């Protein structure tokens, strides 16, 4: 692997005040830096050098990749100063364009970093460049340069350019001359080395590397959330992939398509025409789909928006057949189509009153259009972006990863599951196409060699099935002529049913037909997961109706998928605590403040479901914090819990043991509840006291975990 060599002069030694505080590298960071020298960068450095420059991330990382792609502190500091100097001296701010124009005139020549777009002047038969921030146009550019970089003709490309000022005396002449132009992109790629080096990492490590590469801290996300983030990358690695993501504001839906790759174009959903997107019949010039790997429509949602019916019709044909017509001629293209937009209602509201596509403009709320979507990413599962979610670890220079993904578009891994798994026979051709393309894209991202274990393949296949199922289930709501199909796969004679997360959370709304209330043991035969009841208020009375009395409780095993909401201690522990006077809790991880909060919330459940007119004792067995300096804080929290529990008539006791491992709740009424993750089942969330999730467990997302209910023998 090689990277472009610096062309700027050697930097001067930075001042001590310019040093950037460096976090301690993790073992994974050290492994990344050693395995991929020259093509990885510390992600927090982008913020350190960006300042007020409105420049895409891949431009900054291109520069950082040249000057600061190292693990050496001194070189990083020197590289940061060099990149800052380059941006200071050569990046063109819109408000300073006249100053830069004057500088070019006075010096005769100056290097700039700007977005360049090119058009053909048919009258003079020459190509002319326009500089977005510099504010100059009609700059003649050679035909060979345009042929080498055709994307200059549509949308524009960020480039490093040398501009020359040569006034001829003729007022009709443009004094600006383009001496050199270099698009900001990788000059060479060794894909074989990338694929081979991938094998040095475990699957979990590799996924974390990809998450860090797109700028996020993997420690803040569970396995499912990480894979959903990777689904956003599939349009860059898979040809003609059609993706939709609708969800709340502020979850980073459009970030990937605007900042991640020089091969992607993000446009406003209301600012595109047939000539711009597909072909101009007058000039014969092909549109965006002919030049970009991914065309994303931002702010696509909005019921009141109006779309050109001709555009919708051509788009439907393109999304289905990878082609479009120009008069009597049919043209093909490979651009993937992405549609992202905001929802204004919650998932249960949409399921109750309409469908999960309800926010789309009327012209796009069309079964024929929606059936061409390969995957629906549930945007409501993503947390709103917060500062602590950003990574300070090492990740690929995004331009390097973008080139890797582009090269992998030539590879097809859609059949790699067939050695182990068989899809349900009643899936339609379009269902299979959607599943295959999503699966192939995830395989290329996570397993670029195409080799993976059955368990790893199963994980990716379930995500692919779910993404297409979400589309199909909503189509059935919209179009009565469509029939339901089984999204199942078979392995060695055993059938696995795939459900969407919102189907598990809101079965009575998802399937429309009225259903009887279900207890935790219901709906576990196919998925092994418990479905919440229909009680919206989640009161104790409703919980009693859902679970029945203590004598009706059963031994069972339930599983919760990552990202699901609706789990509460009241609902899944409360009924098993009734009648108890002594409760033993074994959980080795009651250390951090949020874990102490979980324990206090469990004691709230104890207070609700037991008779506190009697003596109620709760005894906790846990481990001391591994960090000796935090042990006093841990003990102080437990003492506070002891004091506060007395208000509810609960005698709280605790002890420490260094040998415990399993997590459980045992009552003197004969129940044992085995806890896969103990009480710490919730994903991290903002602990602002105004956050509703702080008061209502029901609205928190959970990690993947299991619960087993057993009677003592």
């Amino acid at each position: 692997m090689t990277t472009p060599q610096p062309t700027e002069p050697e930097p001067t030694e930075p001042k001590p005040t310019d040093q950037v505080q460096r976090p301690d590298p993790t073992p994974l960071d050290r492994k990344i830096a050693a395995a991929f020298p020259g093509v990885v960068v510390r992600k927090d450095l982008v913020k350190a050098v960006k300042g007020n420059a409105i420049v895409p991330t891949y431009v900054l990382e291109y520069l950082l990749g040249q000057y600061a792609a190292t693990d050496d502190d001194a070189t990083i500091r020197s590289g940061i100063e060099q990149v800052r100097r380059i941006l200071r001296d050569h990046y063109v701010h819109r408000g300073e364009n006249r100053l830069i124009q004057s500088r070019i005139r006075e010096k005769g020549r100056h290097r700039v970093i700007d977005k360049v777009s090119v058009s053909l002047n048919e009258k003079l038969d020459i190509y002319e460049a326009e500089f977005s921030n510099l504010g100059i146009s009609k700059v003649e550019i050679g035909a060979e340069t345009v042929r080498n970089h055709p994307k200059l003709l549509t949308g524009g490309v960020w480039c490093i350019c040398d501009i020359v000022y040569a006034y001829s005396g003729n007022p009709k002449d443009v004094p600006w001359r383009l001496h050199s132009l270099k698009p900001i992109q990788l000059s060479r790629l060794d894909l074989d080395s990338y694929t081979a080096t991938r094998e040095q990492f475990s699957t979990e490590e590799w996924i974390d590397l990809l998450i860090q590469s797109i700028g996020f801290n993997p420690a803040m996300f569970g396995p499912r959330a990480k894979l959903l983030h990777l689904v956003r990358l599939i349009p860059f690695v898979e040809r003609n992939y059609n993706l939709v993501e609708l969800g709340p504001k502020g979850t980073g839906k459009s970030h990937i398509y605007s900042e991640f790759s020089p091969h992607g174009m993000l446009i406003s959903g209301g600012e595109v025409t047939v000539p711009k997107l597909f072909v101009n019949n007058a000039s014969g010039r092909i549109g965006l789909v002919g030049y970009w790997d991914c065309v994303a429509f931002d702010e696509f949602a909005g019921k009141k928006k109006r779309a050109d019916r001709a555009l919708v019709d051509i788009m439907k044909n393109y999304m289905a057949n990878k082609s479009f017509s120009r008069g009597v001629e049919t043209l093909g293209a490979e651009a993937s189509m992405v549609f992202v937009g905001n929802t204004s209602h919650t998932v249960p509201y949409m399921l109750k009153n309409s469908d999960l596509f309800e926010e789309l403009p009327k012209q796009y709320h069309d079964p024929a259009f929606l059936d061409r979507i390969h995957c629906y990413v549930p945007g409501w599962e993503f947390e709103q972006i917060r500062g602590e979610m950003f990574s300070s670890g090492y990740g690929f220079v995004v331009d390097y990863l973008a080139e890797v993904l582009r090269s992998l578009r030539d590879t097809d891994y859609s059949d790699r599951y067939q050695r182990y798994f068989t899809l349900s026979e009643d899936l339609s051709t379009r269902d299979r196409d959607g599943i295959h393309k999503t699966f192939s894209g995830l395989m290329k991202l996570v397993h670029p060699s195409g080799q993976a274990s059955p368990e790893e393949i199963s994980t990716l296949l379930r995500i692919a099935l779910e993404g297409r199922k979400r589309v199909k289930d909503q189509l059935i709501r919209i179009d009565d002529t469509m029939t339901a199909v089984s999204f199942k796969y078979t392995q060695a004679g055993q059938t696995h049913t795939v459900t969407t997360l919102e189907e598990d959370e809101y079965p009575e709304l998802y399937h429309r037909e009225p259903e009887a209330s279900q207890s935790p043991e219901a709906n576990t035969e196919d998925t092994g997961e418990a479905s919440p009841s229909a009680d919206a208020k989640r009161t104790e009375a409703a919980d009693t109706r859902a679970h029945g009395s203590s004598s009706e409780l059963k031994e069972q095993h339930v599983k919760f998928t990552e990202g699901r909401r609706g789990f509460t201690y009241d609902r899944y522990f409360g009924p098993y605590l009734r009648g108890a006077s002594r409760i033993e809790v074994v959980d080795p991880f009651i250390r951090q403040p949020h874990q102490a909060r979980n324990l206090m919330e469990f004691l709230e459940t104890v207070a609700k479901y037991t008779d506190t007119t009697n003596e109620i004792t709760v005894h906790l067995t846990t481990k001391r914090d591994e960090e000796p300096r935090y042990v006093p804080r841990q003990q102080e929290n437990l003492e506070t819990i002891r004091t506060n529990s007395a208000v509810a008539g609960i005698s709280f006791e605790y002890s420490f043991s260094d040998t415990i491992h399993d997590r459980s709740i045992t009552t003197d009424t004969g129940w044992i509840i085995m806890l896969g993750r103990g009480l710490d089942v919730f994903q991290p969330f903002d602990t602002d006291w105004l956050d509703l999730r702080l008061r209502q467990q029901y609205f928190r997302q959970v990690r993947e975990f299991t619960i087993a209910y057993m009677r003592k023998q």
Side-chain angles (χ1 to χ4, degrees):
M1 289 176 292
T2 60
T3 54
Q5 295 301 311
T7 57
E8 295 291 333
E10 289 295 321
T12 58
E13 184 66 18
K15 299 177 182 179
T17 55
D18 291 331
Q19 294 184 10
V20 175
Q21 184 66 35
R22 183 183 189 276
D24 292 334
T26 65
L28 178 59
D29 287 333
R30 294 190 182 95
K31 188 172 183 178
I32 292 169
F36 290 100
V39 293
V40 293
V41 68
R42 252 178 56 203
K43 290 298 173 171
D44 58 326
L45 299 184
V46 176
K47 290 183 181 179
V49 301
K50 188 166 187 176
N52 61 348
I54 307 174
V55 60
T57 299
Y58 63 81
V59 174
L60 295 176
E61 293 197 4
Y62 171 86
L63 296 173
L64 288 169
Q66 292 189 58
Y67 301 104
T70 176
D71 194 30
D72 178 70
D73 284 343
T75 305
I76 287 177
R77 290 194 298 269
S78 175
I80 288 175
E81 179 61 22
Q82 177 76 333
V83 173
R84 284 174 174 166
R85 189 184 66 77
I86 292 172
L87 290 175
R88 181 176 62 248
D89 295 343
H90 302 294
Y91 174 76
V92 181
H93 296 269
R94 289 182 184 275
E96 299 177 353
N97 60 337
R98 293 181 180 179
L99 176 63
I100 301 301
Q101 290 176 19
S102 174
R103 186 178 299 171
I104 298 173
R105 178 185 181 279
E106 296 302 320
K107 294 172 56 178
R109 175 175 173 175
H110 184 65
R111 175 169 294 179
V112 300
I113 298 175
D114 202 352
K115 190 174 185 180
V116 183
S117 57
V118 173
S119 60
L120 174 65
N121 186 326
E122 298 169 349
K123 294 181 180 179
L124 300 178
D125 190 30
I126 61 172
Y127 289 104
E128 295 177 337
E130 178 179 355
F131 291 75
S132 178
N133 290 356
L134 187 57
I136 63 174
S137 59
K138 300 182 183 296
V139 181
E140 185 173 352
I141 182 172
E144 183 178 356
T145 301
V146 176
R147 283 193 295 270
N148 291 337
H149 311 292
K151 286 184 180 179
L152 291 167
L153 291 167
T154 174
V157 177
W158 283 89
C159 303
I160 298 176
C161 306
D162 283 322
I163 306 294
V164 174
Y165 187 85
Y167 183 65
S168 66
N170 185 347
K172 294 184 179 181
D173 287 346
V174 176
W176 312 106
R177 301 285 186 270
L178 180 63
H179 182 268
S180 66
L181 178 146
K182 180 181 180 182
I184 294 180
Q185 59 185 28
L186 203 68
S187 63
R188 184 181 176 186
L189 173 69
D190 186 346
L191 185 60
D192 291 338
S193 177
Y194 170 87
T195 303
T197 308
R198 153 66 179 98
E199 301 308 314
Q200 299 178 19
F201 294 79
S202 69
T203 297
E204 182 178 355
E205 289 175 333
W206 186 255
I207 291 175
D208 285 353
L209 167 54
L210 293 177
I211 294 299
Q212 289 188 176
S213 297
I214 60 178
F216 291 116
N217 179 3
M220 297 299 297
F221 305 98
R224 174 181 171 85
K226 292 175 187 177
L227 287 178
L228 290 179
H229 273 287
L230 296 188
V231 171
R232 289 172 168 176
L233 295 179
I234 295 179
F236 294 103
V237 76
E238 193 73 20
R239 291 191 179 105
N240 301 104
Y241 185 71
N242 307 321
L243 179 74
V244 66
E245 179 179 348
L246 302 176
K249 297 178 181 179
T251 55
K253 292 185 290 295
S254 60
H255 170 78
I256 286 291
Y257 310 107
S258 63
E259 297 284 332
F260 174 74
S261 172
H263 305 304
M265 167 63 71
L266 180 71
I267 57 178
S268 172
E271 297 180 358
V272 66
T273 61
V274 172
K276 182 177 180 181
L277 186 60
F278 291 106
V279 67
N280 188 321
N281 283 338
S283 65
R285 187 179 304 155
I286 196 168
L288 298 174
V289 296
Y291 294 95
W292 299 91
D293 292 349
C294 172
V295 178
F297 296 79
D298 194 14
E299 300 177 357
F300 186 69
K303 292 182 179 180
K304 296 182 180 180
K305 290 185 177 180
R306 303 189 66 180
D308 181 1
R309 172 52 64 179
L311 174 64
V312 177
D313 290 340
I314 295 176
M315 193 177 295
K316 285 192 292 188
N317 184 63
Y318 173 75
M319 291 167 66
N321 304 314
K322 311 170 189 175
S323 63
F324 51 92
S325 298
R326 181 178 74 89
V328 296
E329 184 181 6
T330 299
L331 302 175
E334 299 179 352
S336 296
M337 307 290 277
V338 178
F339 308 94
V340 296
N342 297 326
T343 54
S344 55
H345 299 294
T346 63
V347 171
Y349 179 96
M350 290 187 285
L351 292 176
K352 180 180 179 180
N353 296 284
S354 54
D355 57 78
L356 298 180
F357 287 113
E358 72 158 8
E359 296 290 344
L360 297 188
K362 180 180 179 181
Q363 292 83 354
Y364 291 103
H365 198 269
D366 174 9
F369 172 80
L370 298 177
D371 198 21
R372 288 153 169 81
I373 299 294
H374 296 130
C375 181
Y376 186 147
V377 177
W380 48 86
E381 289 192 38
F382 293 91
E383 293 285 336
Q384 287 195 325
I385 302 300
R386 307 187 302 273
E388 62 266 28
M389 289 183 174
F390 294 111
S391 174
S392 60
Y394 281 85
F396 289 120
V397 173
V398 290
D399 181 63
Y400 169 76
L401 184 57
E403 293 301 324
V404 168
L405 301 189
R406 190 180 199 203
S407 298
L408 287 171
R409 287 166 75 90
D410 295 329
T411 306
D412 180 18
Y413 288 154
S414 61
D415 62 347
R416 293 303 171 101
Y417 71 90
Q418 295 178 1
R419 178 180 176 184
Y420 307 104
F421 307 105
T422 303
L423 296 182
S424 174
E425 293 182 357
D426 61 349
L427 291 171
S428 70
T429 299
R430 282 186 176 159
D431 292 334
R432 290 178 180 272
D433 286 345
I435 294 166
H436 285 170
K437 292 182 79 66
T438 303
F439 174 76
S440 178
L442 286 173
M443 279 291 292
K444 285 185 275 189
L445 288 165
V446 183
H447 306 285
S449 67
Q451 304 300 316
S453 69
E455 293 76 16
E456 292 169 333
I457 289 175
S458 175
T459 299
L460 304 186
L461 185 61
R462 291 186 71 91
I463 291 289
L465 280 157
E466 181 187 337
R468 175 59 189 180
K469 185 180 192 298
R470 187 171 288 106
V471 175
K472 191 61 172 282
D473 288 350
Q474 303 315 302
L475 282 172
I476 294 170
R477 285 171 168 257
I478 298 170
D479 187 351
D480 294 337
T481 65
M482 287 199 170
T483 57
V485 298
S486 298
F487 281 78
K488 301 179 180 179
Y489 64 96
T490 304
Q491 179 187 21
Q494 183 178 3
T495 299
H496 304 270
T497 300
V498 175
T499 58
T500 67
L501 209 59
E502 57 273 14
E503 181 178 7
D504 295 332
E505 291 181 12
Y506 313 105
E508 71 288 345
L509 300 176
Y510 197 89
H511 299 291
R512 296 256 180 172
E513 297 84 8
E515 296 184 357
S517 295
Q518 297 182 346
S519 62
E521 61 267 29
N523 196 32
T524 61
E525 183 173 351
D526 287 336
T527 65
E529 299 171 6
S531 298
S533 68
D535 61 329
K537 296 182 179 180
R538 299 170 295 282
T539 61
E540 181 178 352
D543 191 76
T544 302
R545 290 196 300 272
H547 295 278
S549 65
S550 297
S551 62
E552 296 172 340
L553 298 176
K554 299 178 181 179
E555 293 184 308
Q556 59 185 302
H557 181 277
V558 294
K559 179 181 178 181
F560 290 83
T561 53
E562 181 196 342
R564 179 171 163 178
R565 294 181 175 88
F567 174 85
T568 67
Y569 293 165
D570 286 1
R571 178 170 178 73
Y572 289 94
F573 297 154
Y576 294 87
L577 303 179
R578 287 196 180 99
S581 59
R582 183 172 180 86
I583 301 168
E584 299 279 350
V585 179
V586 179
D587 190 335
F589 297 100
I590 306 295
R591 304 174 180 177
Q592 303 298 321
H594 76 276
Q595 294 167 338
R597 182 199 66 213
N598 291 338
L599 176 60
M600 196 67 223
E601 290 176 347
F602 173 75
L603 293 174
E604 290 179 21
T605 297
V606 172
K608 292 178 185 178
Y609 284 83
T610 60
D611 184 0
T612 52
T613 62
N614 298 325
E615 292 184 350
I616 306 297
T617 300
V618 176
H619 183 273
L620 168 71
T621 304
T622 189
K623 283 185 177 181
R624 295 185 189 275
D625 199 300
E626 294 176 348
E627 287 285 342
R629 56 178 172 164
Y630 293 136
V631 171
R633 181 189 66 180
Q634 179 187 21
Q635 193 147 355
E636 181 181 349
N637 287 337
L638 293 174
E639 285 295 330
T640 301
I641 291 173
R642 184 208 299 270
T643 301
N644 292 338
S645 299
V647 176
I650 297 173
S651 175
F652 175 70
E653 304 170 350
Y654 65 91
S655 60
F656 296 104
S657 171
D658 294 331
T659 59
I660 59 172
H661 178 269
D662 294 338
R663 303 153 176 86
S664 64
I665 300 171
T666 305
T667 71
D668 59 358
T669 55
W671 282 105
I672 302 176
I673 306 174
M674 300 302 298
L675 308 174
R677 284 188 178 269
L679 298 177
D680 195 5
V681 299
F682 300 108
Q683 293 189 16
F685 63 92
D686 194 345
T687 53
D688 189 318
W689 68 278
L690 295 176
D691 192 327
L692 183 61
R693 291 170 295 182
L694 189 62
R695 304 301 309 147
Q696 294 284 340
Q697 292 179 335
Y698 186 89
F699 297 110
R700 302 175 193 169
Q701 289 181 302
V702 300
R703 298 182 171 97
E704 183 173 332
F705 69 99
T706 58
I707 303 176
Y709 302 86
M710 300 177 292
R711 291 187 186 274
K712 286 194 290 188
Q713 300 298 324

